[in-house]
Amino acid sequence: MATRQTRTLARTMMAPAVIVLFIWMIVPLAMTLWFSFQNYSLINPMMTGFAGWANYTYVIGDPSFTQALVNTLLLVGGVLVITIVGGTFLALLLDQPIWGQGVLRILVISPFFVMPPVAALVWKNGFMHPGYGLLGHLSRALGLPPVDWFAQYPLFSIIVIVAWQWLPFATLILLTALQSLSEEQREAAEMDGANALNRFRYIILPHLARAITIVILIQTIFLLGIFAEIRVTTGGGPGYASTNIAYLVFRTGILSNDIGAGSAGGVVAVIIANIVAIFLMRAVGRNLDA
């Protein structure tokens, strides 16, 4: 009886916060869903009324939607590859007894605390600018023409910036998992004559499998909504070369002043994100239960 009363009291005390959070999430989503079926343009206030599926047909049938979807997948996949491979390497490095290990760990995780717009501006003006960026000066010092990264390789530039931001997160998760590995297993494998490559392949990598899966899940959910880095650097261009789904919604709804089509794009983006999240959750569940 005491347990039942305690549970009832806990649910009663949590109910107001849960209700507020539910309203906070459901009201914008309901309004977006409503506007997605309406003719609503900020340029032409007279264009109103029920649009049916016209906004969805327009968004999905637009060639830029396909390109934005492909860019989104390339962005997510590229960042995941860089952060997982780089995070594993840095975790192995930071796990070694080296001088200045504490300072080195702080330096490695510091990019995670930089705001995305600030990080994008630093990379845009401090590193990748062909005129006064660090990479431009390095290219001229080597006798090579400077590269205009955001004009010639816009999507790759975005991937590099986002990967730099998320690399500390992957490193911390993988380092924590690596430090939970029994030292006795490593010593036993070393005594049996296993070299460093075999120890990594058969002992360390299987031990990191769950941590890698969690990194993939968490990062993918956030990477599907990357916006600030694109807005600050390329603006989705040239053309639609660096436009992802999130920025396409902004471009359609705000820059083109078509709230109806932008809302439809937002609903489509939410559906795609949920499909990916459900798929990854099942993959994570299978991996964690193994």
Side-chain angles (χ1 to χ4, degrees):
M1 180 63 67
T3 303
R4 185 179 302 174
Q5 292 177 350
T6 302
R7 291 179 179 176
T8 303
L9 179 61
R11 291 172 181 172
T12 303
M13 296 178 66
M14 291 173 59
V18 173
I19 292 173
V20 171
L21 288 174
F22 178 77
I23 295 175
W24 180 58
M25 291 185 296
I26 201 65
V27 170
L29 182 60
M31 293 182 64
T32 302
L33 187 62
W34 166 259
F35 281 118
S36 69
F37 289 101
Q38 303 296 317
N39 287 316
Y40 186 44
S41 173
L42 297 178
I43 298 178
N44 185 10
M46 301 301 296
M47 188 178 69
T48 58
F50 184 70
W53 296 97
N55 290 327
Y56 290 92
T57 303
Y58 169 76
V59 170
I60 297 177
D62 191 351
S64 60
F65 175 80
T66 303
Q67 186 173 0
L69 180 60
V70 173
N71 290 341
T72 302
L73 297 177
L74 291 175
L75 174 61
V76 173
V79 173
L80 288 178
V81 169
I82 295 175
T83 54
I84 291 174
V85 174
T88 302
F89 174 78
L90 288 176
L92 291 171
L93 178 63
L94 294 175
D95 192 48
Q96 304 300 317
I98 56 179
W99 181 83
Q101 190 180 59
V103 177
L104 183 59
R105 289 181 178 180
I106 294 176
L107 292 176
V108 169
I109 67 174
S110 58
F112 194 66
F113 300 100
V114 181
M115 295 298 294
V118 177
L121 285 174
V122 169
W123 275 90
K124 179 181 179 180
N125 299 316
F127 289 96
M128 292 183 168
H129 194 279
Y132 47 81
L134 181 61
L135 296 179
H137 288 298
L138 182 61
S139 297
R140 283 188 290 271
L142 296 175
L144 301 174
V147 178
D148 191 350
W149 292 95
F150 294 107
Q152 297 175 312
Y153 309 102
L155 187 59
F156 175 76
S157 302
I158 300 297
I159 291 174
V160 170
I161 295 173
V162 177
W164 179 79
Q165 293 178 266
W166 282 95
L167 184 59
F169 173 79
T171 302
L172 285 176
I173 299 297
L174 296 175
L175 178 60
T176 303
L178 186 61
Q179 290 179 337
S180 67
L181 178 62
S182 174
E183 191 65 30
E184 297 174 352
Q185 286 183 285
R186 303 187 189 184
E187 294 176 354
E190 190 173 354
M191 292 177 63
D192 289 339
N195 56 31
L197 182 61
N198 288 331
R199 291 198 302 270
F200 174 77
R201 179 179 178 183
Y202 295 106
I203 296 178
I204 296 177
L205 195 58
H207 182 76
L208 294 178
R210 293 187 177 185
I212 291 174
T213 306
I214 293 175
V215 170
I216 292 175
L217 171 64
I218 296 176
Q219 286 193 175
T220 300
I221 294 175
F222 283 94
L223 293 176
L224 289 171
I226 290 296
F227 172 80
E229 294 85 348
I230 299 175
R231 177 62 175 169
V232 170
T233 55
T234 64
Y240 290 90
S242 59
T243 298
N244 64 348
I245 294 294
Y247 197 82
L248 181 64
V249 173
F250 168 78
R251 204 167 187 171
T252 304
I254 304 301
L255 298 184
S256 299
N257 297 294
D258 193 343
I259 303 301
S263 299
V267 174
V268 173
V270 170
I271 294 174
I272 293 175
N274 278 275
I275 292 174
V276 174
I278 292 173
F279 173 78
L280 290 175
M281 286 294 292
R282 292 183 177 180
V284 169
R286 286 197 299 268
N287 197 353
L288 295 179
D289 293 338

